[in-house]
Amino acid sequence: MRKKYLFFFLVFLLLAGVFTLFRTTIADFFNVCLIAVKEGRSIRVDNSDLIRRPKNTQVKVKGAGGMAGAAQVKVMKENVTAFPVSSLVSDASKKKTRKELFITKWAVLGPFDLSLISKDFELKTVLDQECMNESFTEVSPTLVPKDFAWQTVEGLISDGRINVSEIYRKNKNAAAMWAVADVEVSEDIPDAVLLAHTQQISRIFVNGKPVFVSFPKMPARVDGIQVTVPLKKGANRILVKLASQNARNWYFYLRFTDAKKVPLIPAPPQPGK
């Protein structure tokens, strides 16, 4: 009997040792299997920055609602004279954090009140609203509806999310908003891939052309939206029209890759800038 227990104990130690030595390979194998059935994570990143993080004081940022809260998004006080620009560069390395993959600097406009349709917040009803229609509506930092103003924001959450709820903290109703960012590339990329997730209903435009509109049973996960879009050399304007019935759970993610799924990430700021 003791020999049997000893045998199982030694087998356990052996398996534990194998898993410890090859845990990354084993985890990647199962992740690939899960992605194949559309259940796994579609983003592989280095999470070493989340391990043994130095203890620090949580930053406080004053949001658009005038209330101090934990830093999830930074709202700039300066008047918007130009939309934020992110220069995208190809980066095949795995030594990057999740946040570095996403566009985190945006100009936002809203919230547009949708409380009159809050009891009938169906896909078609929302998309028929003027602020959510299929018209690109040439956006400009200077041409805005009365009583509205563009604000420049930067997402601070480590997963790259833009938390709209934090931007419009005073809003308690069903509402819509617009988010605009310009992305620059050094050459034409005719088959770039836009990956996003929007909570709850959205339209996405690239250079004035609609490339995505929400549909029933849309995958509720990061990168649930995947569309091929052409990016021209120079600046490309991204417009997201986003509506949500739940003002406390309102956010989006957006990033790009090339056709081979190599991330196109915002270039880090140059020293002194």
Side-chain angles (χ1 to χ4, degrees):
M1 183 64 71
R2 289 183 178 179
K3 290 183 179 180
K4 182 182 294 186
Y5 286 140
L6 180 60
F7 172 76
F8 284 117
F9 179 69
L10 292 175
V11 170
F12 172 78
L13 289 179
L14 177 62
L15 292 175
V18 170
F19 181 78
T20 301
L21 290 174
F22 301 102
R23 61 184 181 277
T24 301
T25 303
I26 295 172
D28 284 348
F29 171 76
F30 282 106
N31 188 46
V32 169
C33 293
L34 289 171
I35 290 174
V37 294
K38 299 183 178 181
E39 292 295 337
R41 292 174 57 192
S42 54
I43 303 174
R44 295 179 59 192
V45 297
D46 176 26
N47 288 324
S48 59
D49 64 314
L50 302 179
I51 302 174
R52 296 180 181 177
R53 290 181 298 180
K55 187 175 181 180
N56 52 20
T57 304
Q58 195 169 31
V59 180
K60 298 290 183 178
V61 173
K62 194 170 184 178
M67 298 173 62
Q72 296 186 15
V73 62
K74 183 177 181 180
V75 181
M76 315 302 180
K77 294 182 179 180
E78 296 81 5
N79 292 331
V80 177
T81 57
F83 293 131
V85 179
S86 296
S87 297
L88 302 185
V89 295
S90 178
D91 188 341
S93 70
K94 297 179 182 178
K95 295 294 182 180
K96 50 183 172 288
T97 63
R98 187 184 183 94
K99 180 182 176 182
E100 291 175 313
L101 297 169
F102 294 88
I103 310 300
T104 58
K105 296 180 180 179
W106 296 82
V108 298
L109 184 69
F112 306 113
D113 185 27
L114 297 180
S115 58
L116 292 178
I117 63 167
S118 60
K119 294 183 179 180
D120 184 28
F121 208 81
E122 300 297 330
L123 184 64
K124 184 179 185 308
T125 305
V126 174
L127 293 176
D128 284 343
Q129 301 303 303
E130 183 177 1
C131 60
M132 289 294 296
N133 63 27
E134 60 186 359
S135 171
F136 171 66
T137 312
E138 185 64 34
V139 290
S140 166
T142 56
L143 299 177
V144 295
K146 185 180 179 181
D147 299 326
F148 288 90
W150 287 100
Q151 295 175 289
T152 303
V153 303
E154 180 179 359
L156 302 178
I157 306 177
S158 61
D159 64 2
R161 181 192 327 170
I162 304 300
N163 190 343
V164 180
S165 300
E166 185 70 17
I167 301 171
Y168 302 124
R169 298 186 66 171
K170 284 187 176 181
N171 176 64
K172 307 298 181 185
N173 303 318
M177 56 82 71
W178 293 358
V180 176
D182 288 342
V183 296
E184 289 185 340
V185 291
S186 59
E187 61 183 6
D188 290 341
I189 307 178
D191 50 3
V193 181
L194 182 153
L195 303 103
H197 171 60
T198 58
Q199 180 69 25
Q200 174 180 15
I201 297 174
S202 65
R203 292 184 188 272
I204 301 177
F205 302 78
V206 176
N207 290 328
K209 297 181 179 180
V211 298
F212 173 80
V213 60
S214 293
F215 55 88
K217 298 182 179 180
M218 189 173 67
R221 64 175 184 270
V222 177
D223 291 354
I225 299 169
Q226 298 188 19
V227 290
T228 300
V229 298
L231 295 180
K232 63 182 182 181
K233 180 179 179 180
N236 298 265
R237 180 149 297 170
I238 314 302
L239 167 63
V240 179
K241 294 184 177 183
L242 182 62
S244 179
Q245 189 177 24
N246 184 356
R248 297 186 180 277
N249 186 32
W250 196 9
Y251 60 88
F252 70 95
Y253 304 79
L254 192 143
R255 70 186 185 102
F256 288 93
T257 71
D258 64 17
K260 297 181 180 179
K261 298 186 178 181
V262 175
L264 300 172
I265 69 173
Q270 297 298 318
K273 291 188 178 181

